[in-house]
Amino acid sequence: MTKHQHHPEVPIYQAETLAVRAGSEMTEFGENSEALFLNSSFRFKSAAQAAARFGGSEPGNIYSRFTNPTVTMFQNKLAALEGAEQCVATSTGMSAILACVMGLCNAGDHVVASRSIFGTSVQLFSNILARWGLQVTFVSLTNLDEWQSAVTVNTKLFFVETPSNPLTEVCNIRALADLAHKAGAHLVVDNCFCTPVIQQPLALGADIVIHSATKYIDGQGRCLGGAVLGSKVLMEPVYGFLRTAGVTMSAFNAWVFLKGLETLYIRMDAHAKNSLALAKWLEAQPNVARVYYPGLVSHPQHALAMQQQSNGGGIVSFEVKPKAGQTSQDAAWALIDATRLISITANLGDAKSTITHPATTTHSRVTAEDRAATGIDDSLVRIAVGLEHVDDLKADLLALTVS
Ligand SMILES: *Cc1c(COP(=O)(O)O)cnc(C)c1O
């Protein structure tokens, strides 16, 4: 395969250009769209070549559980966008987190994680990895003192999502990275909500970036996938776990994600533009008590968010004011049930806008006390804003405008 670039002396391209061009290679047939290598194994010219490939003295593909050209193109494109030396693509976002921890931690090691991470990530750490001797402490996303005091001699990783789901709280990546490094630990940022278009954690001092490619990288709700990105040194054991344990990304999915990355810049801009317009409109509605969106000037960490992010992203949450005789949950459910256009689903990162009630879906396994402590009210509704015209989204939420 040869690189798609025309000039070997590669100039420094803008990020939008990298999203379209980076990582692409073409076969002898000269296809202009990346080829899908839907094959499990690769042939060798001789027994000696097979031995050299297996022994590692000759680079090249052996078996698609280890490497596959379509998956490699995806990895190289995403690595270029995140500014990472290396990317390891995985079967899902969850297996990216699993591969990261299994590659970099041993039994008895300790992880400090934000309490406000994806619910399944909490389950992975506290119900599964804990059974294998990993110690985990959950702390407040924004309180650096809590991170500091959670550190032990065995702390290997700090794990965070910013902005958080669903309340869009923002943590200072640079400050947290400094704290992690002083503790001899690595900072891992799950960058699923922002994508490299909006936030590049490695440039802010983080050591590892995690993605659920299932969300914005796909962008149209088709395939499951994930990725771990970082230095070659850190990614080597992560890749070692992947090729042995088999949490590999399918070549078909990698091919879909390659196409998704080509349009990531224009899509994320459109998601954010729609989100800001919707958030501003929501703030002005009589039946909305509070809006959570980092792009709003009223967001408590707006200034920090705008330093770290190029825009507010695509997730808007808000509290619905209950009418007389209504509970908070009734108010939220009534609004959700009154929609005709927006999809009622907990997924996000789709061209189709989605609406969900965190307290009874994504955060239903969290106890009512913990939900209250993290500020997730029963009146809270989350919208992952899609690419429809924003006026149609507003019209679908008309129940908010009548008092
Ligand atoms: C969806 C999601 C995951 C898990 O990704 P899957 O592809 O569903 O396994 C991890 N982190 C965040 C922030 C997510 O939104």
Side-chain angles (χ1 to χ4, degrees):
M1 301 236 295
T2 54
K3 303 273 174 208
H4 265 146
Q5 274 117 8
H6 297 287
H7 304 291
E9 68 290 357
V10 182
I12 299 167
Y13 288 121
Q14 302 289 328
E16 290 84 348
T17 306
L18 292 175
V20 177
R21 297 280 178 173
S24 284
E25 295 187 45
M26 64 185 163
T27 69
E28 65 194 275
F29 297 113
E31 69 282 355
N32 191 40
S33 176
E34 293 77 4
L36 168 53
F37 287 86
L38 208 52
N39 58 292
S40 47
S41 79
F42 296 84
R43 284 184 356 195
F44 311 109
K45 292 196 178 82
S46 64
Q49 188 184 42
R53 288 267 175 97
F54 273 85
S57 62
E58 181 189 298
N61 298 298
I62 298 172
Y63 186 53
S64 287
R65 171 154 42 78
F66 312 167
T67 60
N68 170 284
T70 309
V71 177
T72 301
M73 286 190 273
F74 166 73
Q75 292 176 152
N76 291 343
K77 193 185 281 288
L78 187 57
L81 299 183
E82 284 286 6
E85 265 179 22
Q86 201 162 329
C87 171
V88 178
T90 58
S91 55
T92 63
M94 289 320 301
S95 65
I97 301 172
L98 179 69
C100 175
V101 175
M102 295 300 264
L104 297 169
C105 295
N106 294 311
D109 282 347
H110 178 239
V111 174
V112 189
S114 157
R115 221 172 266 129
S116 313
I117 55 174
F118 188 60
T120 314
S121 306
V122 174
Q123 307 295 329
L124 177 67
F125 281 118
S126 47
N127 294 349
I128 298 184
L129 292 168
R131 285 199 279 124
W132 298 90
L134 190 82
Q135 295 171 14
V136 186
T137 309
F138 291 100
V139 297
S140 152
L141 171 68
T142 52
N143 185 340
L144 286 182
D145 291 340
E146 278 192 39
W147 289 85
Q148 175 67 58
S149 31
V151 167
T152 72
V153 286
N154 296 329
T155 305
K156 290 284 159 23
L157 301 176
F158 279 22
F159 191 96
V160 77
E161 270 171 41
T162 178
S164 71
N165 175 25
L167 294 176
T168 73
E169 281 186 297
V170 175
C171 92
N172 187 324
I173 294 177
R174 172 88 54 197
L176 198 59
D178 288 347
L179 211 61
H181 297 158
K182 275 198 204 102
H186 297 300
L187 174 62
V188 184
V189 177
D190 182 334
N191 202 28
C192 167
F193 274 38
C194 280
T195 81
V197 171
I198 296 177
Q199 174 172 276
Q200 293 169 306
L202 299 178
L204 295 166
D207 304 284
I208 295 165
V209 166
I210 299 277
H211 275 291
S212 166
T214 313
K215 313 292 169 52
Y216 290 107
I217 290 177
D218 177 304
Q220 295 178 49
R222 295 159 295 192
C223 291
L224 291 159
V228 192
L229 301 105
S231 67
K232 283 199 166 106
V233 172
L234 287 177
M235 289 307 104
E236 191 173 318
V238 175
Y239 169 69
F241 173 78
L242 169 123
R243 72 174 259 168
T244 305
V247 291
T248 312
M249 176 179 283
S250 100
F252 179 82
N253 291 8
W255 179 77
V256 172
F257 297 142
L258 267 171
K259 299 290 110 191
L261 287 177
E262 287 187 5
T263 58
L264 191 64
Y265 277 81
I266 54 174
R267 283 190 292 108
M268 293 315 290
D269 280 352
H271 281 295
K273 195 166 145 263
N274 260 1
S275 299
L276 183 60
L278 190 68
K280 283 182 175 165
W281 177 82
L282 284 167
E283 262 193 330
Q285 298 316 312
N287 294 335
V288 174
R290 186 166 171 192
V291 183
Y292 300 86
Y293 183 67
L296 287 177
V297 180
S298 61
H299 189 282
Q301 295 151 302
H302 176 68
L304 173 62
M306 291 305 102
Q307 268 170 37
Q308 293 188 162
Q309 305 173 207
S310 61
N311 60 49
I315 308 293
V316 179
S317 295
F318 56 97
E319 288 163 6
V320 184
K321 270 189 205 155
K323 299 202 173 82
Q326 241 184 355
T327 65
S328 296
Q329 179 176 314
D330 288 344
W333 280 24
L335 174 75
I336 292 170
D337 289 343
T339 59
R340 291 290 170 267
L341 179 70
I342 304 175
S343 312
I344 305 174
T345 170
N347 198 24
L348 61 101
D350 198 306
K352 296 184 175 80
S353 293
T354 67
I355 191 165
T356 189
H357 182 240
T360 52
T361 60
T362 52
H363 291 69
S364 59
R365 282 200 263 181
V366 180
T367 64
E369 295 78 60
D370 283 352
R371 268 204 307 276
T374 47
I376 300 171
D377 195 83
D378 284 350
S379 68
L380 190 77
V381 170
R382 187 197 76 186
I383 296 183
V385 182
L387 303 179
E388 303 94 340
H389 196 289
V390 71
D391 289 349
D392 293 329
L393 299 178
K394 292 176 191 169
D396 212 31
L397 301 168
L398 217 57
L400 292 170
T401 63
V402 281
S403 40

